[in-house]
Amino acid sequence: MSNTQSIEKDAETSRPVVKLSGVIKSYGSLNAIDNVDLEIRPRELFTLLGPSGSGKSTVLRAIAGLVSIDSGHVHIKGEDVLNVPTFKRNIGMVFQSLALFPHMSVFDNIAFPLRMRRIGRGEIVQKVAESLDIVRLPDIAQRKVHELSGGQQQRVALARALVYNPSLLLLDEPFGALDKRLREEMQLEIVRLHREIDVTIINVTHDQVEAMILSDRIGVMNHGKIVQVESGEDLYRRPKTKFVAEFLGRANCIDGTYRDNNGDPHVVTSAGAAFSVAGNSDVSDGLQCTAIIRAEDIELHEARTDDNGLTGIAAKVELRLFEGEAVYYELIVDGLKYPLRVASKTSRFSPGSEVWLAWRAEQVWLVKD
Ligand code: ADP
């Protein structure tokens, strides 16, 4: 490879596949997309995660060219796509409504985008077969779509989205309507597929577990804005806001004042409950903050422990739910307006029991209010 070729190749592999800058899309007075900047890296499996109505689908549709934006720019592989119609953006899409033709054969469904592109018969036969192989349904080309199971239909929709080798695959909650087992199966299928073929995937979901299982990085959305972009683990462990903390898993978010008297950092709530935390360079003495403690990071003990590494608080069990792999408790703490939530392996505490909640100070994550 010549020097110039190699420089071009490097630029190709490091340049974002999709770049949104200052994108705004409003419907009346509502900003469905509110000044979004976002870069999706080559071969990344990226998920937009957020509550219903936060703007995830609108971002996906803006990338696909299915909605026009009011301002800002969308670049795909370096090209501003403002005037590029959807079918020329080389994007595969699977939405929740799979939009398959139920009375047509699997073959004809998958061949459809190729016929639209006026590809010859021989190549169509070959590409449909390859694409059915990718989704592991090699033998069903002649079946009618309405005869297939829900999971098989999902795979056919995927095969159709991949048949013309798009460089970008957009998934808009395609597994939302599936039952839990099938949904998990399809999630693993996407992970496998992403490993095997050269494609960048942008997925949309409101399911935080799905987002964490699938994604290299997650962009959390709220009210049309992207509030944090990080790997699932970083989002979970180091959320920048209470919203992000509460959206990912079960977090206890306790508002209070940070105190750092004599090198013993702790948080005091307005009603007087106090507990130790690890120091944090973001907060200083007297600052209002939120202490975030994950439900699974809190231990339940019968009485105060002697372990110096642990900090804690007295509590009373209000609710106990056996969940199989964990027991979920809600516990009342004097001076806290809301119960603390704990996911514990210990199942012996029933409602009404007095207990000691313990955790390591360094497991508390502090965010500024
Ligand atoms: P999400 O995918 O996160 O559920 P959407 O992107 O679908 O959210 O919608 C974001 C906001 O924009 C919502 O308040 C929704 O009602 C609004 N919206 C989306 N599409 C339209 C439309 N075609 N007309 C009016 N409002 C819309």
Side-chain angles (χ1 to χ4, degrees):
M1 193 183 287
S2 78
N3 221 358
T4 332
Q5 276 175 325
S6 119
I7 289 166
E8 278 169 6
K9 179 90 186 136
D10 283 352
E12 180 72 22
T13 47
S14 59
R15 185 176 63 195
V17 173
V18 176
K19 183 173 174 187
L20 274 64
S21 15
V23 173
I24 296 178
K25 170 69 187 175
S26 40
Y27 293 107
S29 59
L30 173 99
N31 278 356
I33 309 178
D34 193 358
N35 199 12
V36 161
D37 295 321
L38 181 65
E39 291 192 358
I40 311 291
R41 300 167 184 160
R43 291 220 74 247
E44 185 164 39
L45 205 171
F46 187 94
T47 295
L48 286 167
L49 172 71
S52 176
S54 57
K56 309 178 296 290
S57 296
T58 311
V59 168
L60 214 62
R61 286 168 179 274
I63 295 169
L66 296 170
V67 299
S68 56
I69 56 175
D70 298 324
S71 58
H73 296 274
V74 177
H75 286 86
I76 298 180
K77 292 189 147 187
E79 181 190 8
D80 190 330
V81 290
L82 182 67
N83 296 315
V84 181
T86 301
F87 74 96
K88 286 199 173 152
R89 294 191 185 189
N90 194 26
I91 292 175
M93 291 180 263
V94 186
F95 295 154
Q96 192 170 44
S97 60
L98 299 175
L100 295 170
F101 305 109
H103 296 289
M104 271 163 52
S105 69
V106 168
F107 181 92
D108 286 337
N109 267 276
I110 301 175
F112 186 77
L114 299 177
R115 291 195 174 120
M116 298 292 286
R117 286 169 173 75
R118 307 207 175 281
I119 304 223
R121 169 85 193 160
E123 197 180 338
I124 289 182
V125 170
Q126 187 196 339
K127 282 194 177 289
V128 170
E130 279 170 13
S131 158
L132 278 170
D133 266 349
I134 290 174
V135 298
R136 297 196 288 190
L137 285 179
D139 303 320
I140 64 156
Q142 296 318 319
R143 304 264 300 275
K144 297 274 191 282
V145 161
H146 71 86
E147 299 166 355
L148 305 178
S149 71
Q152 286 172 325
Q153 290 187 12
Q154 293 279 336
R155 285 166 197 258
V156 171
L158 259 177
R160 187 181 58 181
L162 293 169
V163 74
Y164 46 92
N165 304 328
S167 52
L168 184 60
L169 177 64
L170 305 182
L171 305 174
D172 191 352
E173 308 229 27
F175 320 130
L178 299 179
D179 66 51
K180 187 166 179 294
R181 195 186 53 79
L182 216 49
R183 196 162 62 231
E184 285 171 359
E185 189 183 308
M186 286 310 293
Q187 288 163 354
L188 293 179
E189 194 65 30
I190 292 295
V191 170
R192 181 190 61 82
L193 210 137
H194 180 241
R195 247 197 330 253
E196 288 175 8
I197 60 176
D198 183 16
V199 68
T200 304
I201 301 179
I202 310 180
N203 175 49
V204 155
T205 186
H206 60 271
D207 176 345
Q208 45 106 7
V209 177
E210 174 180 315
M212 288 200 274
I213 292 173
L214 291 187
S215 322
D216 298 315
R217 287 188 308 152
I218 299 171
V220 181
M221 288 200 73
N222 195 21
H223 298 308
K225 291 185 188 303
I226 297 203
V227 291
Q228 192 170 354
V229 179
E230 219 96 49
S231 73
E233 203 164 340
D234 285 344
L235 277 179
Y236 192 81
R237 294 279 159 219
R238 288 179 280 282
K240 283 201 183 117
T241 61
K242 210 154 103 171
F243 172 80
V244 174
E246 285 182 322
F247 203 74
L248 280 104
R250 283 183 185 141
N252 294 291
C253 295
I254 307 171
D255 298 328
T257 308
Y258 179 75
R259 291 289 173 202
D260 190 12
N261 335 353
N262 312 319
D264 169 28
H266 56 279
V267 166
V268 187
T269 71
S270 57
F275 52 89
S276 298
V277 298
N280 182 319
S281 54
D282 273 359
V283 287
S284 53
D285 192 56
L287 211 75
Q288 287 301 304
C289 66
T290 300
I292 296 161
I293 316 172
R294 290 279 165 199
E296 69 276 18
D297 287 340
I298 303 180
E299 297 173 9
L300 274 171
H301 296 273
E302 267 160 38
R304 187 173 195 135
T305 59
D306 299 334
D307 185 339
N308 284 337
L310 294 176
T311 180
I313 213 161
K316 191 173 179 179
V317 175
E318 186 176 56
L319 176 76
R320 172 187 181 279
L321 298 175
F322 180 71
E323 290 184 336
E325 64 252 47
V327 183
Y328 172 69
Y329 292 97
E330 287 191 356
L331 303 113
I332 305 291
V333 174
D334 269 350
L336 269 191
K337 288 191 236 75
Y338 32 81
L340 287 192
R341 309 185 309 166
V342 174
S344 172
K345 292 259 175 270
T346 310
S347 71
R348 63 178 179 276
F349 300 108
S350 45
S353 320
E354 305 280 348
V355 293
W356 180 255
L357 302 184
W359 59 85
R360 299 192 178 278
E362 59 273 16
Q363 282 168 326
V364 183
W365 178 249
L366 296 178
V367 291
K368 275 189 281 191
D369 277 353

